[in-house]
Amino acid sequence: MAFDYSLEHFARAREAAAASLAEGGVPIGGALVLGGELVATGHNQRVQHGDPTAHGEIDCLRAAGRIRSYADAVLYTTLAPCAMCSGAIVQFGIRRVVVGEATTFGGELDWMRSRGVDVVVLDDPECRDLMTRFATEYPAVWAEDIGEVE
């Protein structure tokens, strides 16, 4: 069953991703919406802060602060969430996730769905192009971000 989502709120996540790239970081952004209102945005800050857990979705959740219940929340993210971010989504009971793209990184979409999360993948060309460009220009940083460093 599909759920309602807002391309305007998704645009906030995409803007956050662009902000990360402008700061020299990985271009992944997130936006958290509760009751139709934007609560927080965040972006990947692993490079900027030297923090391996500062992924875009986690930064967004940190910016939102403590929320009693995420059951009615929608998390917008520019890239399919990794295992860590998917774990946070499931842990906090976020039931709806809108993903910009899952081509450059497939993430844990099937796992989230198996745990009851409604997931919509927009296949947004801007997100895909941004990640493809980043992965090509900064392959070592990208490999580190997705845990593929040997």
Side-chain angles (χ1 to χ4, degrees):
M1 179 176 175
F3 60 91
D4 290 333
Y5 58 88
S6 164
L7 292 179
E8 179 181 330
H9 292 309
F10 175 71
R12 302 295 78 79
R14 198 169 43 213
E15 289 166 5
S20 184
L21 184 60
E23 295 171 359
V26 183
I28 302 169
L32 185 69
V33 174
L34 281 169
E37 297 296 320
L38 181 67
V39 174
T41 62
H43 60 270
N44 188 300
Q45 297 197 50
R46 290 184 66 257
V47 173
Q48 299 92 314
H49 293 220
D51 179 351
T53 66
H55 285 206
E57 299 88 345
I58 300 298
D59 187 57
C60 181
L61 291 171
R62 285 178 181 151
R66 193 169 156 204
I67 295 173
R68 186 170 186 281
S69 173
Y70 296 86
D72 295 324
V74 179
L75 179 66
Y76 295 82
T77 180
T78 57
L79 184 67
C82 69
M84 177 179 68
C85 296
S86 295
I89 289 163
V90 169
Q91 175 70 28
F92 294 117
I94 297 170
R95 297 181 189 160
R96 293 159 199 88
V97 177
V98 177
V99 176
E101 67 102 357
T103 302
T104 59
F105 180 72
E108 298 295 332
L109 302 182
D110 289 339
W111 181 78
M112 286 191 299
R113 288 177 177 127
S114 77
R115 300 299 297 256
V117 178
D118 291 325
V119 178
V120 171
V121 178
L122 300 177
D123 198 23
D124 182 74
E126 288 182 50
C127 291
R128 190 176 52 252
D129 293 347
L130 191 62
M131 287 311 306
T132 300
R133 188 169 16 116
F134 180 82
T136 300
E137 292 177 15
Y138 304 98
V141 176
W142 177 233
E144 179 185 327
D145 196 67
I146 59 174
E148 292 185 358
V149 176
E150 293 185 24

